[in-house]
Amino acid sequence: MEAIITASRLAHDLTADAPPVLLDIRWQLSMAAASGAPAFDGRAEYAAGHIPGAAFVDLDRELASAPGKRGRHPLPDLAEFGAAMRRAGVSADRPVVVYDGGQGWAAARTWWLLHWTGHPDVRVLDGGLAAWEGPLSTETPEPAEGDFRPVPRETGLLDAAGAAALARSGVLLDARAGERYRGDVEPIDPVGGHIPGALSAPTNENVGPDGRFLSADELKARFASLGALDGTQVGVYCGSGVSAAHQVLALAVAGIPAALYVGSWSEWSADPSRPVAVGPDPQ
């Protein structure tokens, strides 16, 4: 199964007799509480213009549970997640394409959740809405109820203990910016630094200047340089399990399976008993 789709291929597929279900996941990591700026409103962005036929999905409310000790974007209640997907028209036998405003993080979180809970055909629009060259719509569709029932896979998900173990036995990648990995700054979570043994691998290095993924060969070379070789177990975390999903997606494009630590640094750093490493050295 392909993990990403180009805008031109999506435009073609939307004209087919059985077009894919299209999900708009406009979202941004908001610093509004700290800066006093208005919070980003994905639903308002969607209402102002979206790819025709797309249904809006709210990342904070439908793709995550309320923030707390399990992190800022813990796993959603699966019954509620399944209901949200069915409202958006998602069925088990129909392809799904997800997109966001262009950063790719929110779309990747949706891709990962659907893939992890058993949907067989989910792709992310490479480059997001910025790559779309067709018309936009302000009409809100009313999709027919889907039949998707999420059933979690036995692999692909890490908890805190699993992430700590993988940092010793395999490759654990930290998808945040390098300065947060080193602990130079920490604008959101209680403590700066990284999980001991994790390697710095900022998500923004997965894409080119146009926001689209590097080629599969380029990504494979990038991850190989970090030790993600054939047969190596790989896991990824970030601040709250959103940008790390983009890294899992990039690894999938490169043909490398990887697990996601959903709680990520926001869960890890909330427990003062857990060790913290600082500086450029993984340990």
Side-chain angles (χ1 to χ4, degrees):
M1 184 191 72
E2 295 178 353
I4 58 176
I5 185 172
T6 64
S8 59
R9 176 62 185 274
L10 175 59
H12 174 271
D13 288 359
L14 288 174
T15 65
D17 292 338
V21 173
L22 196 54
L23 305 180
D24 183 309
I25 327 289
R26 232 81 65 89
W27 175 88
Q28 288 182 11
L29 180 63
S30 177
M31 301 292 187
S35 67
F40 177 82
D41 189 340
R43 190 174 295 276
E45 294 287 323
Y46 167 84
H50 52 267
I51 298 176
F56 179 75
V57 176
D58 190 313
L59 185 148
D60 289 320
R61 293 176 175 82
E62 296 173 318
L63 305 180
S65 297
K69 291 184 178 180
R70 293 188 300 133
R72 284 183 278 110
H73 289 103
L75 282 175
D77 176 90
L78 289 184
E80 294 179 5
F81 168 66
M85 292 298 97
R86 292 190 294 276
R87 285 195 302 272
V90 176
S91 291
D93 62 352
R94 188 175 170 190
V96 178
V97 173
V98 295
Y99 71 90
D100 57 25
Q103 191 174 38
W105 296 2
R109 170 72 174 228
T110 318
W111 167 85
W112 180 84
L113 270 170
L114 282 166
H115 178 70
W116 178 67
T117 55
H119 199 289
D121 191 351
V122 189
R123 289 170 291 174
V124 170
L125 175 58
D126 194 13
L129 186 62
W132 177 253
E133 296 180 352
L136 298 180
S137 172
T138 57
E139 296 182 8
T140 301
E142 297 183 2
E145 182 86 0
D147 64 13
F148 177 68
R149 303 281 173 179
V151 178
R153 300 178 188 270
E154 294 183 358
T155 59
L157 177 67
L158 293 172
D159 59 11
L166 188 58
R168 298 188 297 271
S169 65
V171 172
L172 181 65
L173 301 178
D174 185 317
R176 298 172 300 161
E179 59 267 24
R180 293 185 67 193
Y181 170 87
R182 295 188 300 270
D184 298 343
V185 297
E186 182 43 63
I188 306 172
D189 295 312
V191 178
H194 58 270
I195 297 174
L199 303 174
S200 180
T203 296
N204 62 5
E205 294 179 16
N206 295 329
V207 299
D210 60 0
R212 302 181 194 187
F213 281 101
L214 302 178
S215 71
D217 287 344
E218 289 172 313
L219 288 169
K220 190 168 186 176
R222 181 196 181 203
F223 294 123
S225 72
L226 293 164
L229 305 171
D230 290 342
T232 303
Q233 288 188 304
V234 180
V236 189
Y237 75 95
C238 58
S240 66
V242 179
S243 67
H246 188 276
Q247 191 100 287
V248 174
L249 177 59
L251 284 154
V253 172
I256 303 168
L260 176 66
Y261 173 25
V262 174
S264 284
W265 188 248
S266 56
E267 178 187 44
W268 183 275
S269 62
D271 183 346
S273 71
R274 294 192 181 110
V276 171
V278 295
D281 191 312
Q283 303 298 334

